[in-house]
């Protein structure tokens, strides 16, 4: 068996011990005689798996008791519609901060449900920074303020928490959830697809403050009404059971590593290896403002894009895959989520140096 270093932006690499445990438990979970995939979501076995995943997430992220944790379907793109449907609460507009491709998608979808006020935008700088809070034009009457805490494509990340006063802060954290400690209490709602940092595709995590739910628009599908899901422990419809099980194993792995503070150290170390090299060479470059650089997704370009193909081919030959940048920006992108070991980033930088030496 050979495992590659997988730099995919998502679905992304999972911790190897998690995959091994899942393989061991595949045919017979804890003496139940069944695979988790075959279990009733209402049976005692799966209820225990679900409860443990939720309690580990609460413990790791320090989720206050007045927040619900929901395991839903529809992905972050689904949430782009589901959030306004649930959170408008009789208001007619919401504030959005535009930091790149994922913000733009959220804005476009929200416009189907409400008036969108773009409170700040990084467009003038080609989405290479996070707009400073002092330049945001927030509306006191907005239903919520929406941000994308880590732009997976542009590699731009918030390293601070916006202050939105009494207006709930909503964050799409798909690509940096659980990569470091955050103060959940500063947010009204956090959502994210699992397939970047916490598990397989198919489960969407929503963490929402109690007082914000229960006023969904009448058109809201029941399966996407946070109140109905909260009242039914995320089992109003059949939840993505296997994805929740794997996410639970990932949470256990994170806990064994030392929790989110340890994840942050690990992630800072990896990002530094890559950014330090990018800053030291003229052969590759990263366009993002230093203070806003993502610890999770590192886009970079070769000085001569005609070498892109050779670079990717060589990387593949060295057991490093999925380094091609998103089609909207070109170049390269290394996604280095929690599960990427330091050795993977070191191998990448060693290869980049070697490539520079032979082509520079
Ligand atoms: C991947 C990603 C999405 C899309 O998630 P889906 O699960 O495909 O809906 C949305 N936002 C961000 C920030 C992402 O990284």
């Amino acid at each position: 068996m050979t495992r590659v270093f997988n730099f995919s932006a998502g679905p992304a690499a999972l911790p190897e011990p998690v995959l091994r445990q899942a393989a061991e438990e595949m045919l017979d979970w804890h003496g139940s005689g069944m695979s988790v995939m075959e279990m009733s979501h209402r049976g005692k076995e799966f209820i225990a798996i679900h409860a443990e995943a939720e309690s580990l997430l609460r413990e790791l992220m320090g989720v206050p008791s007045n927040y619900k944790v929901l395991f839903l379907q529809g992905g972050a793109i689904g949430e782009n519609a589901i959030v306004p449907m649930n959170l408008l609460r009789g208001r007619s507009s919401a504030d959005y901060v535009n930091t790149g491709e994922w913000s733009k998608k959220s804005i476009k979808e929200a416009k189907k449900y409400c008036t969108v006020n773009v409170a700040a935008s990084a467009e003038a700088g080609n989405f290479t920074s996070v707009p400073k809070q002092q330049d945001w034009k927030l509306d006191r009457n907005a239903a919520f303020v929406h941000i994308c805490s880590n732009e997976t494509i542009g590699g731009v990340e918030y390293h601070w928490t916006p202050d939105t006063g009494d207006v709930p802060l909503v964050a799409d954290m798909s690509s940096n959830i659980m990569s470091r400690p955050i103060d959940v209490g500063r947010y009204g709602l956090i959502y994210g697809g699992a397939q970047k940092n916490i598990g397989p595709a198919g489960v969407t995590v929503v963490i929402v403050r109690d007082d914000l739910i229960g006023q969904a628009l009448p058109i809201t599908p029941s399966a996407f009404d946070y109140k109905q899901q909260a009242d039914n422990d995320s089992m109003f419809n059949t939840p993505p059971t296997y994805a929740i099980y794997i996410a639970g194993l990932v949470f256990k792995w994170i806990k064994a590593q030392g929790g989110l503070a340890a994840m942050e150290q690990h992630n800072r170390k990896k990002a530094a290896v890559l950014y330090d090299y990018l800053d030291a060479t003229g052969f590759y470059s990263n366009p993002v403002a230093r203070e806003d650089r993502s610890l999770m997704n590192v886009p970079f370009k070769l000085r001569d894009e005609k070498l892109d193909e050779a670079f990717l081919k060589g990387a593949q030959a060295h057991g490093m895959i999925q380094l091609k940048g998103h089609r909207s920006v070109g170049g390269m992108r290394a996604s280095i989520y929690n599960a990427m070991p330091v050795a993977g980033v070191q191998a990448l930088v060693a290869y980049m140096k070697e490539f520079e030496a032979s082509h520079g």
Side-chain angles (χ1 to χ4, degrees):
M1 184 195 71
T2 327
R3 299 243 328 143
V4 293
F5 287 125
N6 178 3
F7 292 92
S8 171
L14 286 164
E16 205 169 293
V18 165
L19 297 175
R20 286 186 190 283
Q21 186 174 346
E24 251 165 54
E25 296 176 346
M26 177 59 79
L27 296 178
D28 177 7
W29 183 82
H30 295 202
S32 66
M34 291 178 279
S35 167
V36 174
M37 268 183 269
E38 303 170 302
M39 289 175 183
S40 163
H41 59 298
R42 310 222 180 265
K44 66 177 190 316
E45 295 90 350
F46 184 74
I47 286 179
I49 289 170
H50 187 272
E52 186 175 25
E54 176 178 340
S55 109
L56 282 164
L57 183 149
R58 283 185 175 277
E59 179 187 338
L60 288 165
M61 292 185 72
V63 179
S65 58
N66 61 322
Y67 283 69
K68 300 283 190 257
V69 173
L70 307 174
F71 294 120
L72 306 178
Q73 297 181 69
I77 291 179
E79 291 302 321
N80 284 340
I82 298 165
V83 165
M85 279 195 270
N86 279 273
L87 253 54
L88 282 170
R89 297 166 294 130
R91 293 167 178 78
S92 59
S93 75
D95 285 348
Y96 279 69
V97 176
N98 184 2
T99 46
E101 295 301 316
W102 288 112
S103 303
K104 285 193 256 178
K105 279 212 165 75
S106 298
I107 290 166
K108 189 170 174 210
E109 189 73 3
K111 282 182 177 168
K112 294 181 182 174
Y113 304 95
C114 60
T115 302
V116 169
N117 163 38
V118 177
S121 172
E123 189 163 12
N126 203 20
F127 300 110
T128 51
S129 65
V130 175
K132 302 275 175 288
Q133 166 121 33
Q134 72 243 30
D135 300 327
W136 295 17
K137 294 194 169 54
L138 295 175
D139 171 7
R140 277 166 190 278
N141 297 312
F144 56 87
V145 180
H146 181 283
I147 63 167
C148 175
S149 60
N150 182 63
E151 286 282 356
T152 320
I153 295 172
V156 172
E157 181 171 9
Y158 284 76
H159 295 287
W160 48 281
T161 310
D163 180 359
T164 56
D166 291 335
V167 180
L169 176 62
V170 172
D172 175 358
M173 286 197 188
S174 295
S175 52
N176 69 347
I177 192 166
M178 287 201 177
S179 63
R180 55 187 162 92
I182 57 157
D183 182 355
V184 175
R186 307 257 324 252
Y187 298 81
L189 187 149
I190 290 166
Y191 67 90
Q195 71 271 24
K196 286 31 185 292
N197 234 353
I198 58 182
V203 59
T204 316
V205 172
V206 174
I207 304 168
V208 59
R209 211 173 65 211
D210 281 342
D211 62 290
L212 299 177
I213 65 175
Q215 297 181 64
L217 297 179
I219 58 159
T220 308
S222 303
F224 294 145
D225 180 333
Y226 296 142
K227 180 77 168 77
Q228 298 213 43
Q229 286 289 10
D231 288 349
N232 288 280
D233 285 331
S234 305
M235 297 205 199
F236 179 82
N237 61 322
T238 310
T241 51
Y242 197 75
I244 292 169
Y245 156 70
I246 300 287
L249 295 184
V250 172
F251 300 157
K252 259 187 229 172
W253 174 82
I254 293 175
K255 189 174 168 179
Q257 307 304 300
L260 298 193
M263 279 296 120
E264 174 167 14
Q265 271 194 337
H266 164 70
N267 289 325
R268 285 195 182 283
K269 188 168 167 191
K270 284 182 292 177
V273 170
L274 192 43
Y275 285 119
D276 284 352
Y277 174 56
L278 287 170
D279 288 341
T281 161
F283 190 78
Y284 306 94
S285 63
N286 166 284
V288 180
R290 268 170 194 260
E291 67 273 21
D292 302 324
R293 283 171 167 178
S294 171
L295 299 182
M296 300 280 99
N297 310 97
V298 184
F300 61 92
K301 285 201 159 134
L302 276 67
R303 191 168 54 204
D304 178 2
E305 67 178 48
K306 286 197 288 297
L307 292 172
D308 284 4
E309 215 170 297
F311 179 87
L312 290 166
K313 241 179 115 177
Q316 174 112 34
H318 284 72
M320 288 177 276
I321 66 156
Q322 294 283 355
L323 284 160
K324 195 179 166 115
H326 191 268
R327 58 189 184 280
S328 64
V329 291
M332 306 297 150
R333 171 177 51 173
S335 294
I336 51 175
Y337 301 118
N338 286 350
M340 173 62 65
V342 177
V345 182
Q346 286 167 338
L348 173 61
V349 169
Y351 166 67
M352 288 168 73
K353 285 182 179 164
E354 183 189 312
F355 189 86
E356 176 176 356
S358 53
H359 295 82

